[in-house]
Amino acid sequence: MRDDGLNIGRRRWILVGLLAAGFASIYALDLQWSQLLPNAGGIHTAGQFFARALSPALSYESAVPLHTPPLLIKALAAAWQTILFAAAALSLALVGGAVLGFFASTALWLPAGAHEPSSGRPLGAALLGVMHALIRLLITLMRSVHELLWAVLFLAAFGLSQMSAVIALALPCAGILAKIFAELVDEAPSEAAYALRAAGASRLQVFCFALIPCAMPDILAYVLYRFECLLRTSAVLGFFGFPTLGFYIAAAFENLHYGELWSYLYTLLILIVIADWWSGLFRRELLR
Amino acid sequence: MNELRSIAVLDLYRTRPKNWPVRISVGIMFALMGIAWLAGDFFPADTFTQSRQANVERFLRELLPFPLHNVDFDWAVAARWGWEILDNKGFEALYTTFLISVAAIVLASVMGALLTIPAARNIATDQPFGLNHGSPSVVSRLLWQIMLVVTRGVLILLRAIPEYVWAFLLLALLGPTVWSIVLALALHNAGILGKLSAEVTEDLPAAPLRALHALGASRAHVSVMAVLPVGLPRFLLFFFYRWETCVREATVLGMLGIASLGFWIQEARARNFYDEMIFLVLLGVVLIIVGDVFSSFARRWLRRLS
Amino acid sequence: MSDGHVEIRNVTVAHASTHALDDVSLSLQPGEAVALVGLSGAGKSTLLSVCSGMIRPDSGSVEANGHELAKLTAAQLRRVRSRIGFIHQDFSLVPNLRVLQNVVSGRLGKRSFVGGVRDFLFPADDVVQKVYEILDSVGIAEKLYERTDRLSGGQRQRVAIARALFQSPDIILADEPISSVDPARAQRTIALLRQICTDRGLTLCVSLHNLELARAYFPRLIALKSGRVLFDKSVGCITQAEFDELYHIA
């Protein structure tokens, strides 16, 4: 049999081509390798910065007002805020993603059996098609605008409001979840769906009792992965003034408190590593 | 008779198998979502104030292109306005964003590939691919073990720190050069790609690799001659999947002051030119959608092969 | 009463590519047990799907339980289907659900959407009891709350039978139900199906590869070859020549 897939020649050219594209981009961006070496100021900063890597601050590096909680408590509180923003956003995104995903999936509208009698209403089918396309467009728009851009837009519109941060996190996440829900449900094995259809179940019943259960483990695992991503982005939103970890990272950096900076960085690191470990464990257990 | 059976059913119900890790995880997740709304301060008292409402109204009014304020809507004027933005900065910014994403993902793949070898359990061991290397030496086993743990730790570190934070730190160290963004994207994605491809490498069928290694090929040989070609479709799948996110992130990282789309979005916001801001955001959407479409074609092609 | 009656007249299915049917007519009487035999690709699965209205024939008419399928609305068709138990070749169960949920989903056709949700998540005691009894009758009562993908092939097949029985059907159609189990279990399964259907007075139509089993357990055989009925007789009247022709590959 002729190997018309990734044969050896093509493989080599794909690799060479991608590498070439990378270096061409570096060239076109006018990047010099020498720029990778920090300048004198940079070296100074880098020295101070890395010097504190192994000795993160355990208490504040400058005088603080009375009754300020200890640094570690503050770092934990910031981590907790990061989690709260992510969890609130996830709850919104789950609802939005489920509703949009339901309407974006094709499984509900296509007959389970290829030769089943169709409902025979062309106008209804056309309307469904239009709705379907509009929902897909909406989903694409939601997830194509980055969380931080949503945040900037909301900042411009509403000023600094915590709710806008939650919605900024939730919108792209809902879009991605909707897309993944629809894909997973559409790709769910259809034998059970066909069997229920043959036993007289309605399309909605087939959708809810055969397709969704089939796709459920993958959906759950993906939701938890998304939560991990939300945690990261929620931390970054702090750079825009919300009280998550990023806020304190930026503040510590601007005040040149590198010890504190490392404390916050390590907090973020631990938070993400726990989430990463949790979602890995969850996935293994679910898909076992 | 019937009663007896009911007891049997109850018994079965009581001893039904349960997946505790999954149940607990789902429970924690729901609890967190509930607590978030109770403990989070998402509805401060000033959520709906007069000034805020006025602000929103002003914002919505100014989304209309500036030359169209107080005149009848005219497509020609709108088009000229849009073209001017494109000509002044739009095309340049799109081009830069695209280049940053490509440079970053290629660098990330190179780094990820280098990290994959010491991160894959079947390669980074004193008995690679399950091949017995004669009398096992405790020292060499320990060294390989350390190498594996260290590499995995590095991968976790790389991917746990968000791109934005990497860029923020690198900008301070390297100064305002595009490198900081490219490297930030590359480092974060190297962590992800390294993890994913290490998993793929561990799942490859062991027999061919073992055979090659038994012939005397070194670990590096086997990696290049067998692991890379066999796993390539999967690796490329990850490559394109991460490239999509790179385009997204490259847009945004510009907000730190490097001339990708994000920079101009931030700048338009600073000048309160909301019409221009939304135009540039939509331009980013177009770039991302084009990237998505291209990448999904590439991935579909690859999935057919693997 | 026409419950359990299936009548197929001059059915032709052309669009199902290789497994087409060509002018097939047959009639199943209530309570009858029939085996459908023939080589794979002869159109056995297509014929069974036609009986349950999952494939609409290009010409000819299908009548099940006294309803002409082509004339029914979607809702009426669902009602007719809910009285036809279909056992699929690959069992067609949802792997990551409990056996109880898979069996209960058999009667979705008789339930409203909300009723279905209730059955699925919080089944009433008498529903559970009934499922338990049905599982008991197929010999896997103790698997009531087990996850379906933890069961062996033979056990899964019994779940599929239980699901069909839970529909309280008049007709049971089974498409190669034993193609993926070992010979000893295959025989037990066919015996079980036959006995259940005789006990409850259900019409049974099974498509089978295995001619020996078909002859041993079914009084009437219908043979399909290339989409046509080759013979349709009670088992005693079939000659060796006819069997030879059935399995003769041109």
Side-chain angles (χ1 to χ4, degrees):
Chain A
M1 215 173 84
R2 199 173 70 92
D3 175 15
D4 53 0
L6 277 184
N7 59 37
I8 294 169
R10 223 194 263 178
R11 246 182 243 152
R12 189 180 303 146
W13 285 116
I14 288 174
L15 286 178
V16 170
L18 289 177
L19 273 179
F23 285 105
S25 304
I26 289 176
Y27 177 76
L29 283 169
D30 204 18
L31 291 173
Q32 261 88 54
W33 298 104
S34 61
Q35 287 172 310
L36 277 176
L37 296 171
N39 52 17
I43 290 177
H44 183 65
T45 318
Q48 285 185 321
F49 175 68
F50 285 112
R52 296 306 299 269
L54 292 177
S55 61
L58 296 175
S59 58
Y60 294 102
E61 289 177 53
S62 61
V64 287
L66 214 60
H67 305 305
T68 312
L71 179 67
L72 289 184
I73 300 292
K74 205 167 167 192
L76 284 181
W80 179 238
Q81 283 295 326
T82 309
I83 295 174
L84 290 185
F85 273 93
L90 182 67
S91 63
L92 294 184
L94 271 181
V95 176
V99 172
L100 289 173
F102 176 81
F103 286 109
S105 130
T106 48
L108 188 61
W109 319 115
L110 294 176
H115 308 296
E116 248 194 306
S118 64
S119 56
R121 275 168 287 188
L123 185 66
L127 276 178
L128 269 179
V130 171
M131 184 204 74
H132 203 239
L134 284 178
I135 295 272
R136 295 230 152 191
L137 183 68
L138 178 65
I139 289 176
T140 314
L141 265 181
M142 280 165 68
R143 68 189 175 82
S144 296
V145 177
H146 194 280
E147 289 90 341
L148 298 183
L149 290 183
W150 280 118
V152 168
L153 285 178
F154 286 138
L155 276 175
F158 300 106
L160 192 67
S161 144
Q162 303 220 355
M163 197 57 204
S164 38
V166 173
I167 295 179
L169 283 174
L171 277 175
C173 187
I176 295 174
L177 286 180
K179 175 174 179 252
I180 297 289
F181 287 174
E183 272 175 14
L184 286 175
V185 168
D186 286 350
E187 282 165 17
S190 57
E191 295 90 21
Y194 187 84
L196 290 198
R197 197 83 184 117
S202 70
R203 280 178 194 185
L204 190 60
Q205 285 174 329
V206 169
F207 190 83
C208 292
F209 303 127
L211 294 176
I212 289 185
C214 273
M216 208 53 184
D218 283 309
I219 288 179
L220 282 179
Y222 192 77
V223 166
L224 207 59
Y225 166 69
R226 268 292 134 196
F227 183 64
E228 192 193 319
C229 299
L230 276 177
L231 278 178
R232 264 196 293 264
T233 322
S234 157
V236 169
L237 269 180
F239 285 86
F240 293 75
F242 299 102
T244 58
L245 274 165
F247 180 79
Y248 299 95
I249 291 176
F253 201 92
E254 266 148 33
N255 297 329
L256 306 179
H257 293 161
Y258 293 120
E260 283 182 36
L261 175 64
W262 278 104
S263 315
Y264 289 120
L265 277 180
Y266 281 130
T267 313
L268 174 63
L269 191 66
I270 292 169
L271 182 65
I272 301 290
V273 167
I274 290 177
D276 185 284
W277 166 83
W278 183 27
S279 95
L281 174 98
F282 188 64
R283 170 171 288 273
R284 270 195 306 282
E285 280 297 326
L286 265 178
L287 308 180
R288 196 159 43 120
Chain B
M1 186 67 189
N2 222 347
E3 269 178 337
L4 276 177
R5 280 216 177 123
S6 292
I7 290 169
V9 168
L10 279 176
D11 237 25
L12 286 173
Y13 182 74
R14 236 176 284 121
T15 57
R16 71 198 188 280
K18 293 178 200 149
N19 195 339
W20 281 114
V22 169
R23 280 173 178 235
I24 293 173
S25 295
V26 172
I28 292 178
M29 207 60 248
F30 273 100
L32 274 181
M33 290 194 282
I35 292 171
W37 290 106
L38 295 175
D41 188 21
F42 301 130
F43 298 102
D46 62 341
T47 304
F48 303 103
T49 56
Q50 287 264 290
S51 68
R52 244 179 212 185
Q53 206 179 340
N55 203 13
V56 171
E57 276 167 19
R58 190 174 57 89
F59 176 77
L60 291 178
R61 220 174 24 250
E62 291 189 3
L63 287 184
L64 192 69
F66 175 69
L68 292 173
H69 284 218
N70 306 321
V71 291
D72 289 337
F73 191 83
D74 183 354
W75 279 108
V77 176
R80 201 168 330 119
W81 169 83
W83 178 256
E84 222 160 77
I85 298 179
L86 280 176
D87 205 30
N88 279 345
K89 49 195 120 171
F91 288 131
E92 183 76 37
L94 280 179
Y95 183 58
T96 312
T97 310
F98 172 77
L99 289 180
I100 290 175
S101 71
V102 174
I105 193 64
V106 171
L107 276 182
S109 323
V110 173
M111 290 194 252
L114 293 179
L115 285 169
T116 298
I117 298 173
R121 278 195 194 89
N122 54 351
I123 301 180
T125 150
D126 60 331
Q127 299 190 339
F129 320 111
L131 191 72
N132 185 5
H133 266 226
S135 58
S137 134
V138 181
V139 178
S140 97
R141 175 171 301 171
L142 196 69
L143 282 177
W144 279 113
Q145 198 67 39
I146 290 172
M147 170 120 127
L148 188 79
V149 171
V150 168
T151 320
R152 297 218 149 204
V154 169
L155 287 177
I156 291 175
L157 177 77
L158 288 177
R159 68 173 188 273
I161 302 290
E163 298 96 329
Y164 199 89
V165 177
W166 276 124
F168 183 81
L169 298 176
L170 285 167
L171 271 169
L173 299 184
L174 298 178
T177 130
V178 183
W179 269 123
S180 12
I181 293 191
V182 173
L183 276 186
L185 285 173
L187 288 176
H188 180 76
N189 283 295
I192 293 174
L193 289 175
K195 177 202 176 197
L196 291 174
S197 39
E199 278 169 7
V200 169
T201 307
E202 284 169 6
D203 288 343
L204 287 181
L209 308 182
R210 193 184 311 146
L212 204 57
H213 191 55
L215 289 174
S218 69
R219 288 181 179 82
H221 279 144
V222 178
S223 304
V224 176
M225 306 302 286
V227 174
L228 182 63
V230 177
L232 191 62
R234 297 299 303 274
F235 297 147
L236 288 176
L237 218 56
F238 298 141
F239 176 90
F240 284 108
Y241 152 66
R242 286 317 298 182
W243 178 63
E244 272 175 46
T245 38
C246 268
V247 177
R248 253 167 75 85
E249 298 290 337
T251 312
V252 163
L253 290 186
M255 288 199 280
L256 285 164
I258 298 301
S260 84
L261 260 175
F263 173 78
W264 296 107
I265 292 172
Q266 183 80 316
E267 194 243 13
R269 182 189 154 225
R271 288 185 292 142
N272 284 344
F273 285 5
Y274 294 140
D275 48 353
E276 192 178 316
M277 176 169 108
I278 200 87
F279 183 80
L280 291 170
V281 168
L282 289 176
L283 209 58
V285 169
V286 172
L287 177 66
I288 288 164
I289 290 178
V290 170
D292 268 14
V293 169
F294 176 77
S295 152
S296 75
F297 272 120
R299 279 155 67 183
R300 195 167 308 158
W301 180 68
L302 287 165
R303 204 163 291 151
R304 258 209 333 266
L305 299 182
S306 56
Chain C
M1 276 303 287
S2 49
D3 284 356
H5 188 93
V6 177
E7 187 76 46
I8 291 179
R9 289 188 208 92
N10 308 101
V11 159
T12 298
V13 176
H15 53 234
S17 62
T18 48
H19 311 299
L21 294 178
D22 185 8
D23 195 25
V24 172
S25 299
L26 57 90
S27 155
L28 305 179
Q29 301 309 316
E32 200 178 14
V34 179
L36 213 51
V37 294
L39 294 170
S40 55
K44 302 189 296 276
S45 302
T46 311
L47 182 57
L48 289 174
S49 297
V50 164
C51 292
S52 69
M54 288 305 277
I55 290 180
R56 173 179 272 195
D58 293 313
S59 66
S61 72
V62 185
E63 218 176 86
N65 272 359
H67 299 275
E68 167 109 41
L69 294 186
K71 290 183 182 147
L72 299 180
T73 64
Q76 288 168 326
L77 184 62
R78 281 183 55 200
R79 218 163 309 140
V80 173
R81 277 184 193 158
S82 74
R83 319 273 330 199
I84 303 176
F86 206 121
I87 298 163
H88 298 262
Q89 189 168 359
D90 48 15
F91 316 145
S92 300
L93 303 165
V94 181
N96 51 339
L97 289 181
R98 296 184 192 278
V99 169
L100 172 66
Q101 286 165 313
N102 262 311
V103 175
V104 154
S105 66
R107 72 164 191 179
L108 282 175
K110 293 193 178 65
R111 300 283 278 166
S112 69
F113 183 75
V114 179
V117 173
R118 187 175 142 68
D119 275 358
F120 214 66
L121 299 178
F122 314 103
D125 286 347
D126 58 323
V127 174
V128 180
Q129 188 64 38
K130 181 147 184 249
V131 172
Y132 180 80
E133 277 157 21
I134 288 178
L135 286 176
D136 198 25
S137 71
V138 295
I140 50 165
E142 75 285 0
K143 300 294 182 193
L144 182 62
Y145 288 103
E146 196 71 35
R147 249 180 76 137
T148 310
D149 54 4
R150 301 272 190 275
L151 302 182
S152 70
Q155 288 168 335
R156 256 180 285 186
Q157 177 189 55
R158 279 152 196 263
V159 176
I161 295 174
R163 178 174 67 185
L165 289 177
F166 192 68
Q167 288 178 242
S168 39
D170 305 309
I171 304 163
I172 285 197
L173 307 173
D175 187 10
E176 298 284 358
I178 53 166
S179 63
S180 46
V181 293
D182 61 76
R185 187 165 287 123
Q187 187 175 355
R188 279 208 300 279
T189 305
I190 293 298
L192 177 71
L193 261 180
R194 274 287 280 129
Q195 189 214 328
I196 286 172
C197 291
T198 314
D199 289 351
R200 301 175 186 221
L202 310 181
T203 312
L204 174 67
C205 183
V206 182
S207 76
L208 280 177
H209 253 87
N210 187 325
L211 195 59
E212 294 314 309
L213 276 180
R215 285 166 84 170
Y217 284 94
F218 291 88
R220 175 179 164 201
L221 300 191
I222 299 175
L224 282 184
K225 187 172 189 183
S226 311
R228 292 172 159 277
V229 176
L230 191 66
F231 57 79
D232 175 358
K233 295 179 175 174
S234 60
V235 122
C237 316
I238 305 169
T239 63
Q240 191 57 43
E242 280 170 322
F243 281 129
D244 288 344
E245 193 190 344
L246 177 59
Y247 287 100
H248 175 75
I249 302 169

